[in-house]
Amino acid sequence: MSNLDTMSVNAIRVLSADAIQKANSGHPGLPLGAAPIAYELWAHHMNHNPANPQWENRDRFILSGGHGSMLLYSLLHLFGYGDLSKEDIMNFRQMGSLTPGHPEYRHTVGVEATTGPLGAGMGMAVGMAMAESHLAAVFNKDEYPVVDHYTYVLGGDGCMMEGISSEAFSLAGTLGLSKLIVFYDSNRISIEGSTDIAFTENVQMRMEAFGFQTITVEDGNDLEAIGRAIEEAKADTERPSFITVKTQIGYGCPAKQGKASAHGEPLGAENVLALKENLGWPSQEPFYVPEEVYENYRNLADEKAETEAAWNVMFAAYCEEYPEMEELWNQYHDTKAAESLWDDETFWAQSEKPDATRNLSGKALNYMKDKLPNLFGGSADLAPSNKTNMSGAGDFSKETPEGRNLHFGVRELAMTAIGNGIMLHGGLRAYVATFFVFSDYVKPMARLSALMGVPLTFVLTHDSIGVGEDGPTHEPIEQLAMLRAMSNFHVFRPCDAVETAAAWYSAVTSEKTPTALVLTRQNLVPMAGSSRDALKGGYVIDDCEGMADVILMASGSEVELAVKAKAVLESQGTKVRVVSMPCMDLFEEQTEEYKESVLPKAVRKRVAIEALSDFGWGRYVGLDGAYVTMKGFGASGPAAQLFEHFGFTVDHVVATVKGL
């Protein structure tokens, strides 16, 4: 290892320590210990171009241990990504800075994924590797490997403890994702002390069982050994690789290295000085980096730019020889492609007979698959029930990576992280699916979808007590309120084919907002008044003459119930407006004028009807309204009996209105 390499590694350490000390907040342990891994990878093995962070064929790097964010920010600054300045480094963890406590996608140039929840980056990395494998199978030609890049992910003991990592890696091994390379920063320390108190398994044997090539680097400061391990990983074209690098947390700081106290608190001013002295750093000045180090990083960045330039030449020749593939490439990368569905009357057609919205969703999906060839998704072992299989599109597997149907297995949490990774990669429009009740397992990674502004689509079927005989364990009650509570997340519960089409249209045209389609198992009657106004989130689906005496509000399967109750109430002299509310989130995005036109404040008698929790309806029901909703968990029995038992009947709705 040259002296310049040593100084370049130590620059990462010093910048990290200084930034964390100035902020008086942060996690120095990982950057100090893992700096050699990051430098060797970024400098000598990873294809990337700081001058074009969005180059399609760049290698991806995800810092799964997001608490070690200063490692990533130091790299981005030194390589010249997005003009991330020394001042930005000095503003680490400060309000409005480009260097927040954990890396944030869309916020800092060069950050490929928002990480922080441990293990999440591992799952997203698997999704990126799946995307690369599929796109390579679709686009590559002999002599033209236009999609040919690796996904690298770095995490530590905490990431490997989290169940999401095992879920994701089990699938990665099954799929033979040979362009996935995982770095395990093995320092045997967690916040509470030695990992021996809670984590004594043989991680390498676990990864071997998953189908990974396993490699160990005994000395985390040995750049040559790290480099050899990376090249050995690349040489295995059948399996993903797992590189254990034995590091020392807080390396270089005499008072802190190897100790739990190095993990999540500043080193202390005296210890930062001791670190610099121990590393032989030429200055004690905070944030000092020698010009020769900056020059080394600039030269490396120039070399990286040449790699992209060579790819650009190849891609131009590819497009000239295969113009049809260039057209397909542009279609895959056109974020506006789905908007053509707006003028497609077949897509918006009403169903001719009662049908479950899960079935209607499946029909819409299979119609879209030919219009949007980059649709790529599947279910957590429930595709026949979720109706998410794209007919004739093939199954994505190690043997057939060109297939578009994904089989996640019973892995809802990892599935969602993988879906995020597919979307983050670019070029594909992903969807994931499970039963609605299991959105409890989905939620942590769905939250990351919303935070990142990643428009992943969630198909969530079996949406209420309509599940019937499976009973309360499989009957979602509070889950709709949970998802509605998230910012930047659209939850659709459509009532028929038109509203289901609207839900899908909103999902596949969204640029920064994920969408959940909450769908029925039981058949629903086509509603005469349903329309594309569902895209406004709430609209009048059945109105009365003049001003209404009462407004009935419902979503999904209960819209029909509201319309039937309206007929009875009007026969008794009560004027009723029925509002379908398929997506509260979109309704809240409308103008105040529009919301007033749908829910006029003058009409204070209102009833919310929904076979789920009433939580969230209060803003529309008001003080003078009432609810026909679930007050507890469901039960096991035929669906029709359950709806009657829990009060989802015309008589009960009418009585509720009369009681206002």
Side-chain angles (χ1 to χ4, degrees), residues 246-529:
K246 296 183 180 180
T247 63
Q248 192 170 32
I249 194 170
Y251 177 85
C253 180
K256 294 281 190 174
Q257 64 184 21
K259 298 180 179 179
S261 60
H263 173 82
E265 60 189 51
L267 298 176
E270 291 184 3
N271 286 326
V272 172
L273 296 176
L275 167 75
K276 293 176 181 178
E277 183 177 354
N278 192 43
L279 295 176
W281 199 242
S283 174
Q284 293 284 6
E285 178 188 345
F287 302 98
Y288 173 79
V289 176
E291 177 56 30
E292 62 191 289
V293 171
Y294 277 122
E295 185 179 1
N296 179 45
Y297 278 101
R298 283 194 295 270
N299 291 337
L300 289 167
D302 290 341
E303 292 174 11
K304 302 299 182 183
E306 292 174 6
T307 304
E308 183 191 349
W311 182 88
N312 288 334
V313 170
M314 177 186 65
F315 188 75
Y318 168 82
C319 292
E320 185 174 351
E321 188 167 343
Y322 299 100
E324 75 282 3
M325 298 308 296
E326 180 185 21
E327 183 179 351
L328 187 64
W329 180 278
N330 291 335
Q331 190 176 0
Y332 269 60
H333 292 84
D334 180 7
T335 58
K336 305 287 188 180
E339 293 179 4
S340 63
L341 291 168
W342 181 260
D343 297 319
D344 192 328
E345 294 302 324
T346 303
F347 176 73
W348 291 99
Q350 181 63 279
S351 57
E352 296 180 356
K353 59 182 181 180
D355 205 350
T357 50
R358 64 166 176 163
N359 293 334
L360 297 167
S361 169
K363 293 173 184 176
L365 176 62
N366 273 280
Y367 184 79
M368 290 188 296
K369 78 175 193 305
D370 298 323
K371 310 286 184 181
L372 305 173
N374 65 340
L375 276 177
F376 188 59
S379 171
D381 198 47
L382 290 169
S385 293
N386 298 147
K387 309 300 179 184
T388 49
N389 188 72
M390 292 182 283
S391 61
D395 293 332
F396 177 81
S397 70
K398 182 178 181 179
E399 294 75 25
T400 56
E402 69 278 7
R404 297 164 63 187
N405 288 299
L406 305 182
H407 299 279
F408 293 103
V410 188
R411 302 183 179 98
E412 294 90 354
L413 181 59
M415 171 184 72
T416 311
I418 290 167
N420 284 340
I422 293 168
M423 292 294 292
L424 288 165
H425 180 278
L428 295 168
R429 177 67 70 160
Y431 63 89
V432 298
T434 186
F435 287 168
F436 186 34
V437 74
F438 301 137
S439 61
D440 290 336
Y441 291 142
V442 164
K443 167 44 168 74
M445 295 302 105
R447 184 173 187 268
L448 276 190
S449 309
L451 271 171
M452 292 188 289
V454 170
L456 182 63
T457 300
F458 300 79
V459 180
L460 305 171
T461 70
H462 298 58
D463 72 339
S464 70
I465 56 173
V467 174
E469 290 87 349
D470 281 339
T473 63
H474 282 56
E475 292 166 1
I477 302 297
E478 73 281 6
Q479 284 76 11
L480 198 61
M482 172 183 71
L483 294 184
R484 282 172 173 165
M486 273 199 293
S487 297
N488 191 41
F489 196 92
H490 291 162
V491 189
F492 267 94
R493 189 169 182 251
C495 73
D496 66 1
V498 175
E499 287 195 359
T500 302
W504 266 114
Y505 182 84
S506 182
V508 296
T509 57
S510 174
E511 295 187 9
K512 292 185 178 180
T513 302
T515 302
L517 281 66
V518 179
L519 307 169
T520 67
R521 179 191 190 187
Q522 72 273 21
N523 291 340
L524 305 184
V525 173
M527 303 305 301

Side-chain angles (χ1 to χ4, degrees), residues 479-635:
Q479 284 76 11
L480 198 61
M482 172 183 71
L483 294 184
R484 282 172 173 165
M486 273 199 293
S487 297
N488 191 41
F489 196 92
H490 291 162
V491 189
F492 267 94
R493 189 169 182 251
C495 73
D496 66 1
V498 175
E499 287 195 359
T500 302
W504 266 114
Y505 182 84
S506 182
V508 296
T509 57
S510 174
E511 295 187 9
K512 292 185 178 180
T513 302
T515 302
L517 281 66
V518 179
L519 307 169
T520 67
R521 179 191 190 187
Q522 72 273 21
N523 291 340
L524 305 184
V525 173
M527 303 305 301
S530 66
S531 75
R532 301 187 198 189
D533 283 344
L535 289 165
K536 297 177 181 177
Y539 66 106
V540 180
I541 196 169
D542 195 346
D543 211 357
C544 59
E545 296 268 343
M547 183 64 74
D549 299 314
V550 63
I551 299 175
L552 301 181
M553 303 169 291
S555 74
S557 51
E558 285 69 68
V559 173
E560 180 190 359
L561 174 59
V563 170
K564 287 181 175 179
K566 172 184 184 295
V568 173
L569 287 163
E570 291 199 328
S571 72
Q572 299 173 358
T574 301
K575 294 196 293 183
V576 179
R577 168 178 287 188
V578 177
V579 170
S580 178
M581 191 71 74
C583 184
M584 285 185 183
D585 316 282
L586 274 173
F587 186 70
E588 285 301 305
E589 294 175 13
Q590 306 307 309
T591 64
E592 290 301 318
E593 290 77 12
Y594 177 76
K595 288 190 283 187
E596 171 66 18
S597 73
V598 176
L599 298 174
K601 294 182 179 64
V603 185
R604 297 178 63 91
K605 293 183 177 182
R606 305 176 179 188
V607 178
I609 311 168
E610 197 169 61
L612 298 112
S613 165
D614 63 14
F615 194 88
W617 277 105
R619 71 182 115 179
Y620 306 125
V621 168
L623 296 176
D624 300 328
Y627 304 87
V628 177
T629 53
M630 292 292 296
K631 303 300 184 185
F633 295 113

